[in-house]
């Protein structure tokens, strides 16, 4: 008996015995019949294949979470109970946040296609380009060998995640919106539990330096983005400084521009940032400061590096708050 002679109900369950996404993709390309039976895989099957040690979707769970971060946070900001549920998940680490994200929005084939394109077209080539300047090999032989960034793919994914998880907070610095961003408690918890670093959590993260890695590479990445977006190395125009800083924090779109080194790669999202900032300046908003309700002026630029510095400053406070928390949801 030929394989295709088996009853359709048997053929339909064959994908459940595959081990990797590559196997699933290959099966779907075999013939019209297998293309049909693999056209609507369950979210559970896709998740199992994506998590397979043979698939290689690393870093896990960060990359999978990146496919759901915006949908998750857009869901969470709709009411206080959802905000609280997200905060509880964050205190359980990225695995718990991913679990909540997949509960809100199950994994789809299109999610995995977008993730594959992001890895192959942006994250991997950008990390390979940055690698020579991030490790000990780039230093003179007689210099003290200090690795600037332990895991570039993880660092880039952490940056992408931060920009998506807190995009309401970032966009509030350049646009008018009625959506209330996630609380300070939430983003501080994100740094403590989802970007482990001994500088922020000495008790639970000994020997881990994910935030330090980001502090090392992000300023140089933003500096490289400046001439691509503005066509100039001069940084004296506050309006352009505002735009580049906010455009950088669009996350994956900014990484795509850095990888391409061309303004042609500017996405509609980055163009929207420019348009919103131009509108705010035309309305009389100072591009360097913003007037708060209490009358105090604060920097309008939300940056990941500044947030890391803030998380480190509040380390003792975070340590006390987390002492009796188990992060369960």
């Amino acid at each position: 008996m030929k394989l295709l002679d088996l009853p359709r109900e048997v053929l339909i369950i064959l994908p459940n015995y595959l081990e990797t996404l590559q196997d699933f993709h290959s099966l779907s390309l075999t013939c019209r019949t297998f293309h049909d039976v693999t056209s609507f895989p369950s979210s559970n099957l896709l998740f199992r294949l994506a998590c397979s040690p043979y698939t290689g979707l690393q870093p896990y769970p960060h990359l999978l979470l990146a496919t759901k971060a915006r949908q998750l946070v857009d869901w969470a900001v709709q009411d206080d109970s959802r905000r609280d549920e997200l905060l509880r998940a964050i205190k359980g680490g990225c695995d718990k946040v991913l679990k909540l994200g997949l509960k809100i929005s199950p994994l789809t084939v299109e999610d995995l296609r977008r993730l594959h394109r992001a890895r192959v077209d942006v994250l991997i080539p950008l990390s390979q380009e940055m690698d020579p300047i991030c490790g000990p090999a780039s230093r003179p032989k007689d210099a003290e060998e200090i690795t600037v960034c332990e895991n570039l793919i993880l660092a880039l994914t952490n940056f992408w995640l931060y920009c998506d998880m807190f995009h309401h907070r970032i966009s509030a610095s350049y646009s008018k919106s009625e959506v209330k961003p996630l609380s300070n408690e939430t983003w501080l918890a994100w740094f403590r539990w989802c970007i482990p670093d001994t500088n922020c959590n000495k008790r639970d993260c000994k020997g881990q330096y994910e935030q330090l890695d980001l502090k090392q590479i992000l300023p140089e990445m933003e500096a490289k983005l400046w001439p691509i977006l503005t066509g100039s190395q001069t940084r004296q125009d506050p309006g352009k400084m505002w735009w580049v800083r906010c455009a950088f924090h669009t996350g994956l779109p900014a990484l795509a521009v850095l990888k391409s080194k061309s303004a042609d790669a500017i996405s509609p999202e980055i163009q929207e940032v420019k348009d919103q900032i131009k509108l705010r300046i035309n309305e009389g908003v100072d591009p360097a400061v913003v007037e708060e309700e209490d009358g105090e002026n604060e920097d309008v630029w939300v940056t990941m590096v500044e947030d890391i510095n803030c998380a480190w400053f509040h380390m003792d406070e975070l340590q006390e708050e987390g002492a009796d928390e188990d992060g369960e949801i």
Side-chain angles (χ1 to χ4, degrees):
M1 176 183 289
K2 296 181 180 179
L3 183 61
L4 294 180
D5 292 334
L6 291 172
R8 184 174 178 82
E9 55 268 24
V10 174
L11 297 178
I12 288 176
I13 66 173
L14 286 180
N16 294 324
Y17 296 90
L18 301 177
E19 291 189 331
T20 70
L21 286 173
Q22 289 84 349
D23 292 341
F24 181 84
H25 179 64
S26 297
L27 182 65
S28 69
L29 298 177
T30 302
C31 63
R32 185 182 300 275
T33 298
F34 280 123
H35 180 273
D36 291 342
V37 301
T38 58
S39 295
F40 301 99
S42 69
S43 176
N44 288 338
L45 172 62
L46 292 176
F47 179 70
R48 181 181 67 78
L49 294 176
C51 296
S52 165
Y54 306 104
T55 293
L57 279 184
Q58 298 297 325
Y60 174 86
H62 304 72
L63 276 176
L64 280 180
L65 179 55
T67 67
K68 296 299 179 183
R70 287 218 174 200
Q71 293 167 281
L72 174 58
V73 74
D74 287 345
W75 167 86
V77 297
Q78 293 180 24
D79 64 55
D80 290 341
S81 64
R82 293 181 178 182
R83 291 170 183 266
D84 291 341
E85 187 173 0
L86 175 58
L87 177 57
R88 290 194 300 272
I90 288 174
K91 290 179 178 179
C94 283
D95 285 300
K96 292 294 179 66
V97 181
L98 176 60
K99 179 180 177 181
L100 179 60
L102 294 178
K103 174 184 174 184
I104 302 306
S105 176
L107 197 62
T108 67
V109 171
E110 185 55 35
D111 290 331
L112 295 175
R113 289 196 183 107
R114 287 197 301 268
L115 183 56
H116 176 74
R117 289 194 295 268
R119 287 183 73 247
V120 173
D121 296 342
V122 180
L123 297 178
I124 292 176
L126 187 57
S127 67
Q128 291 172 340
E129 177 185 330
M130 294 175 62
D131 185 65
I133 65 172
C134 288
S138 64
R139 301 176 177 272
K141 292 183 179 180
D142 58 348
E144 182 181 357
E145 293 198 352
I146 301 175
T147 300
V148 176
C149 184
E150 293 285 350
N151 187 331
L152 272 169
I153 290 284
L154 176 59
L156 294 174
T157 307
N158 271 328
F159 175 65
W160 174 15
L161 268 174
Y162 165 86
C163 295
D164 279 6
M165 288 294 297
F166 301 99
H167 74 93
H168 297 103
R169 182 168 177 267
I170 295 168
S171 63
S173 65
Y174 61 80
S175 65
K176 296 178 180 179
S177 174
E178 296 181 357
V179 177
K180 179 182 175 183
L182 296 173
S183 67
N184 289 344
E185 181 185 5
T186 301
W187 69 258
L188 282 171
W190 179 264
F191 281 103
R192 172 177 168 79
W193 297 109
C194 296
I195 313 180
D197 194 295
T198 190
N199 294 287
C200 185
N201 186 352
K202 290 183 178 179
R203 188 190 66 185
D204 303 310
C205 304
K206 291 182 179 180
Q208 294 177 285
Y209 299 97
E210 291 185 20
Q211 294 175 35
L212 182 61
D213 286 349
L214 289 161
K215 285 191 65 174
Q216 298 280 14
I217 67 171
L218 291 183
E220 182 167 350
M221 290 168 59
E222 184 179 323
K224 288 181 178 294
L225 186 65
W226 177 275
I228 301 174
L229 294 185
T230 67
S232 170
Q233 292 284 0
T234 305
R235 304 188 191 186
Q236 297 178 345
D237 186 329
K240 289 182 178 178
M241 292 177 68
W242 190 4
W243 174 42
V244 173
R245 185 68 55 88
C246 294
F248 180 52
H249 285 79
T250 56
L252 187 63
L255 297 180
V257 174
L258 282 170
K259 181 263 178 183
S260 71
K261 301 183 180 65
S262 170
D264 293 337
I266 292 177
S267 67
E269 185 175 357
I270 292 180
Q271 184 61 45
E272 175 66 15
V273 173
K274 183 178 182 179
D275 294 342
Q276 288 290 333
I277 288 177
K278 184 178 180 180
L279 179 62
R280 297 295 300 279
I281 293 175
N282 289 339
E283 292 173 347
V285 175
D286 190 321
V289 294
V290 63
E291 189 71 20
E292 297 290 336
E293 292 182 359
D294 59 4
E296 295 182 1
N297 289 326
E298 294 186 2
D299 189 355
V300 299
W301 296 332
V302 175
T303 75
M304 190 173 193
V305 171
E306 290 166 359
D307 279 354
I308 290 173
N309 290 335
C310 186
W312 289 13
F313 179 79
H314 291 283
M315 180 187 67
D316 293 337
E317 175 185 331
L318 294 172
Q319 199 79 34
E320 292 176 3
E321 290 179 359
D324 299 321
E325 293 173 349
D326 58 12
E328 292 297 327
I329 62 173

